[in-house]
Amino acid sequence: DAMVIQNPRYQVTQFGKPVTLSCSQTLNHNVMYWYQQKSSQAPKLLFHYYDKDFNNEADTPDNFQSRRPNTSFCFLDIRSPGLGDAAMYLCATSSSRDGAEQYFGPGTRLTVT
Amino acid sequence: GQSLEQPSEVTAVEGAIVQINCTYQTSGFYGLSWYQQHDGGAPTFLSYNALDGLEETGRFSSFLSRSDSYGYLLLQELQMKDSASYFCAVRDDQGGKLIFGQGTELSVKP
């Protein structure tokens, strides 16, 4: 089945220790997104790509970076995680540039100790 | 600023009908999407309205009134498995971004 895969599902890192979350998709979608979702809150867009065109939300902290080496893969790097970065990180894809219908991966729950 | 408002919680019984409203105030508007998210799970797409009117997909329907900056999700013949959070999301520009509301937690009781 075509899908969006995120690894790992659970990640524990130490305060200040860099961490990378990964996302892959077999849907061959042009658009990919990274969201941060904290408990009982709405998903908050961090970045999105249309092909290799990178779009950074104005309020995404500099501590967060992203890479998309090819259509199938996308990475979220957190350079120096703080306690406030503990959250669920969701990757999503869309076949169309309008992004109205997005397919989400299962998420990576990040814990910062 | 951009804002979407939806009720934080709704409770209903199995077999009933429930309507979850969403009002929005955004700088632009191209369409309204609805997503379902079970506890601990990923959001899943339910519907998208770009034009005024009602869209029906099985037990779920979604309505949009652009002039009123308002939409709703209607769930019929409620089942226990419908207990989840429901998010409305506005596409506010021609790009591929969605602005999500805070979500409505639906509890379906026997």
Side-chain angles (χ1 to χ4, degrees), chain B residues 5-22:
Chain B
E5 291 197 15
Q6 49 181 131
S8 58
E9 295 179 345
V10 172
T11 301
V13 296
E14 254 186 315
I17 299 172
V18 73
Q19 179 174 311
I20 299 173
N21 298 321
C22 175

Side-chain angles (χ1 to χ4, degrees), chain A residues 5 26-27 32 40 45 57 59 61-62 65 68 71 78-79 82 104 111-112:
Chain A
I5 301 160
T26 61
L27 296 161
M32 292 188 79
S40 301
L45 183 64
E57 290 304 293
D59 57 355
D62 293 339
Q65 295 180 327
R68 188 180 185 186
T71 300
I78 309 176
R79 289 190 294 182
F104 283 80
T111 300
V112 181

Side-chain angles (χ1 to χ4, degrees), chain A residues 41-112:
Chain A
Q41 294 186 22
K44 177 180 179 296
L45 183 64
L46 298 172
F47 309 101
H48 76 282
Y49 290 86
Y50 184 78
D51 283 335
K52 285 193 176 279
D53 290 340
F54 173 72
N55 297 272
N56 183 21
E57 290 304 293
D59 57 355
T60 297
D62 293 339
N63 195 24
F64 290 78
Q65 295 180 327
S66 182
R67 296 169 280 137
R68 188 180 185 186
N70 54 51
T71 300
S72 301
F73 287 88
C74 199
F75 300 96
L76 177 64
D77 301 308
I78 309 176
R79 289 190 294 182
S80 182
L83 298 178
D85 297 327
M88 176 75 86
Y89 289 88
L90 295 163
C91 174
T93 71
S94 180
S95 61
S96 65
R97 192 159 195 164
D98 67 20
E101 181 174 352
Q102 297 183 18
Y103 294 79
F104 283 80
T108 295
R109 182 164 295 284
L110 179 68
T111 300
V112 181

Side-chain angles (χ1 to χ4, degrees), chain B residues 35-103:
Chain B
Y35 285 80
Q36 178 193 61
Q37 186 177 29
H38 286 99
D39 196 28
T44 56
F45 172 79
L46 294 176
S47 68
Y48 175 66
N49 295 67
L51 302 174
D52 286 357
L54 189 68
E55 297 275 346
E56 297 181 64
T57 309
R59 293 187 298 114
F60 294 1
S61 304
S62 58
F63 173 82
L64 175 65
S65 169
R66 293 173 67 124
S67 59
D68 295 322
S69 300
Y70 163 75
Y72 65 72
L73 180 69
L74 190 73
L75 297 85
Q76 302 183 72
E77 300 172 20
L78 279 175
Q79 302 175 9
M80 298 294 289
K81 67 178 182 179
D82 297 329
S83 293
S85 291
Y86 292 84
F87 293 90
C88 60
V90 164
R91 183 181 156 226
D92 74 333
D93 64 17
Q94 290 184 319
K97 293 172 18 175
L98 292 177
I99 301 169
F100 281 81
Q102 290 300 303

